[in-house]
Amino acid sequence: MKIEEVKSTVKTQRISSHSHVKGLGLNENGIAIPIAAGLVGQESAREAAGIVVDMIKSKKMAGRAILMAGPPGTGKTAIALAIAQDLGNKVPFCPMVGSEVYSSEIKKTEVLMENFRRAIGLRIKETKEVYEGEVTELTPVETENPMGGYGKTVSHVIIGLKTAKGSKQLKLDPSVHESLQKEKVEVGDVIYIEANSGAVKRQGRSDTFASEFDLEAEEYVPLPKGDVHKKKEVIQDVTLHDLDVANARPQGGQDILSMMGQLMKSKKTEITDKLRKEINKIVNKYIDQGIAELVPGVLFIDEVHMLDIETFTYLHRALESAIAPIVIFATNRGRCTIRGTEDIISPHGIPLDLLDRLLIIRTTPYNRTNMENILKLRAQTEGLSLDPEALQQLADVGSKTTLRYAVQLLTPSALTAKVNGRSTITKDDVKEVSELFLDAKSSAKILTEQKDKFMK
Ligand SMILES: Nc1ncnc2c1ncn2[C@@H]1O[C@H](COP(=O)(O)OP(=O)(O)O)[C@@H](O)[C@H]1O
Ligand SMILES: [Mg+2]
């Protein structure tokens, strides 16, 4: 099985305004430490989130859903991202915003299903026949191009591998040469080569070279024990969406072994429901055989009130299927009309039957001290220096508007300070930018006052 070749399709998102958040900051008893891991205050929401993390880790949460509800700027997104950090990178976490489902090219439910499957992991354990060791020699052997011309081609590769127990010299196919280049293997690296597929995996630099001066961060690994040629347990984490993508193309074989290997061969076709069903079937077979294990991850849907009744219905049904992730919703809406309906008003704009399934975590507005601490943290992460008065001024702004707005004023204030030839932000800089820009509330106020001057 060439499962190494299934590419990961993890979504990367710009979450720069939350880059100071490193985790939930709980102690070993699950109690929130007032300021820790980049989070400040909001203790009960963080503790509740901690319980969710524990339940996810012990696999008691699949198919359930959580709603983070609270006013804007109270840390809903920040806490959801902290959950992701605490879960670690072995548990898939797929963030999306409700409005992502509205695309002119892809069906709403299709977007939702894709993200659903990005949030479900599969850990595959296999015993493989491999050659493993520290590379002692790496020589591509070239010959004249048999097709004529001036070029030379690699006819085979000679590679020497060393372990604590012995060493071996292998003569390998040119295709392995390409994988060696792709993994950027050099003499002194610890690698393994799969005997059947020829796939190469670089594990790191041998720790005998640990003192070597290196600009890039390197991972040093010990010299492997045992023989060069051996059986090794290989673990690979993929998501169901990775498998969908890898298989969404015309192919011959129906079993996943050959399917997974058919990457990048011909042009892509669409991921259909039929294909997904097929993949589920095979995945289930592997689970039954104990080769693979399901790792339900988290699908995080921010601004969930943006979903409409159709997507809610679809989501509700999907949550009930056998293979489902944990879904975390977030919203800052109170009672509002459910999108896509004429007049169904519901708490948070979520249909009542779905709401009924949810565990709700509340976030509450910050007090002034917490706000100051968060602003301080943000300034630190952005590498800005604030004088104490400026911090007070920002906290003032924050308590009148929202925390998010105050956080956003940091960068323009820093620019103003720079224009005035200072590296520290002062009270006046903050004042100046808050006079230049409007927050949402003041803007709304002006709109009502001067209604007749604006176009409808
Ligand atoms: N408890 C907290 N600790 C540290 N930073 C926070 C906290 N709550 C919010 N923030 C930061 O404040 C800003 C606004 O919070 P955010 O999570 O976007 O609010 P919401 O999603 O509830 O509208 C973000 O930059 C966020 O990282
Ligand atoms: Mg948010």
Side-chain angles (χ1 to χ4, degrees), residues 63-101:
R64 300 228 215 157
I66 296 209
L67 172 68
M68 316 261 315
T74 49
K76 297 179 296 294
T77 309
I79 290 175
L81 295 170
I83 292 179
Q85 307 250 18
D86 276 9
L87 284 172
N89 58 5
K90 296 287 180 224
V91 180
F93 183 91
C94 173
M96 70 177 282
V97 181
S99 50
E100 260 178 62
V101 301

Side-chain angles (χ1 to χ4, degrees), residues 25 69 75 118 151 175 181 191 201 226 233 251 253 270 279 309 392 399 407 445 452:
R118 282 180 194 274
S175 68
Q181 279 179 326
I191 65 166
K201 175 103 178 113
E233 180 155 278
Q251 53 204 304
E270 223 178 313
I279 295 205
I309 187 83
Q392 292 302 323
S399 30
V407 168
K445 201 165 139 227
D452 43 333

Side-chain angles (χ1 to χ4, degrees), residues 18-251:
H18 304 284
S19 52
H20 59 287
V21 178
K22 302 278 181 273
L24 287 167
L26 305 174
N27 71 12
E28 64 275 21
N29 300 321
I31 307 296
I33 305 166
I35 304 183
L39 285 184
V40 176
Q42 211 64 268
E43 279 89 356
S44 31
R46 282 159 65 196
E47 284 164 16
I51 296 176
V52 172
V53 169
D54 287 345
M55 289 203 286
I56 296 173
K57 281 189 176 157
S58 57
K59 308 220 164 91
K60 293 197 179 115
M61 276 292 293
R64 300 228 215 157
I66 296 209
L67 172 68
M68 316 261 315
T74 49
K76 297 179 296 294
T77 309
I79 290 175
L81 295 170
I83 292 179
Q85 307 250 18
D86 276 9
L87 284 172
N89 58 5
K90 296 287 180 224
V91 180
F93 183 91
C94 173
M96 70 177 282
V97 181
S99 50
E100 260 178 62
V101 301
Y102 304 105
S103 143
S104 55
E105 280 139 33
I106 311 166
K107 275 201 306 196
K108 290 181 278 193
T109 50
E110 177 58 36
V111 178
L112 215 50
M113 188 37 92
E114 178 182 319
N115 285 303
F116 222 69
R117 290 174 76 84
R118 282 180 194 274
I120 304 168
L122 193 68
R123 175 162 306 161
I124 303 158
K125 269 187 241 142
E126 273 185 296
T127 315
K128 289 186 181 175
E129 194 184 327
V130 298
Y131 295 93
E132 184 183 46
E134 176 191 320
V135 179
T136 52
E137 178 190 358
L138 187 63
T139 327
V141 179
E142 292 178 333
T143 54
E144 295 291 333
N145 193 337
M147 312 302 278
Y150 298 106
K152 292 201 170 177
T153 54
V154 174
S155 67
H156 59 270
V157 187
I158 304 282
I159 185 162
L161 289 176
K162 177 176 89 177
T163 64
K165 201 168 165 194
S167 58
K168 220 183 187 88
Q169 198 184 43
L170 310 168
K171 182 176 164 185
L172 299 170
D173 196 70
S175 68
V176 179
H177 184 235
E178 277 170 36
S179 344
L180 285 166
Q181 279 179 326
K182 240 195 274 165
E183 289 273 296
K184 302 199 174 66
V185 174
E186 286 172 25
V187 170
D189 292 346
V190 174
I191 65 166
Y192 66 81
I193 305 170
E194 259 182 60
N196 291 331
S197 64
V200 176
K201 175 103 178 113
R202 181 181 185 276
Q203 289 161 293
R205 192 104 185 119
S206 170
D207 61 9
T208 40
F209 294 84
S211 59
E212 201 177 57
F213 187 69
D214 212 335
L215 282 178
E216 264 171 276
E218 257 291 11
E219 185 166 353
Y220 291 97
V221 293
L223 193 65
K225 299 184 189 71
D227 291 312
V228 170
H229 186 191
K230 65 178 156 212
K231 290 215 176 344
K232 178 183 171 74
E233 180 155 278
V234 178
I235 296 177
Q236 163 103 357
D237 287 293
V238 294
T239 68
L240 293 187
H241 180 67
D242 296 339
L243 295 179
D244 293 345
V245 171
N247 293 289
R249 62 207 51 153
Q251 53 204 304

Side-chain angles (χ1 to χ4, degrees), residues 10-13 15 81 93-97 100 115 118-119 298-302:
V10 173
K11 264 174 127 181
T12 48
Q13 227 195 16
I15 42 165
L81 295 170
F93 183 91
C94 173
M96 70 177 282
V97 181
E100 260 178 62
N115 285 303
R118 282 180 194 274
V298 175
L299 171 62
F300 173 53
I301 309 183
D302 211 347

Side-chain angles (χ1 to χ4, degrees), residues 25 83 135 152 166 192 194 233 288 335 360 368 370 394 401:
I83 292 179
V135 179
K152 292 201 170 177
Y192 66 81
E194 259 182 60
E233 180 155 278
D288 289 343
R335 289 178 66 81
I360 300 179
R368 193 169 165 122
N370 282 342
L394 270 177
T401 59

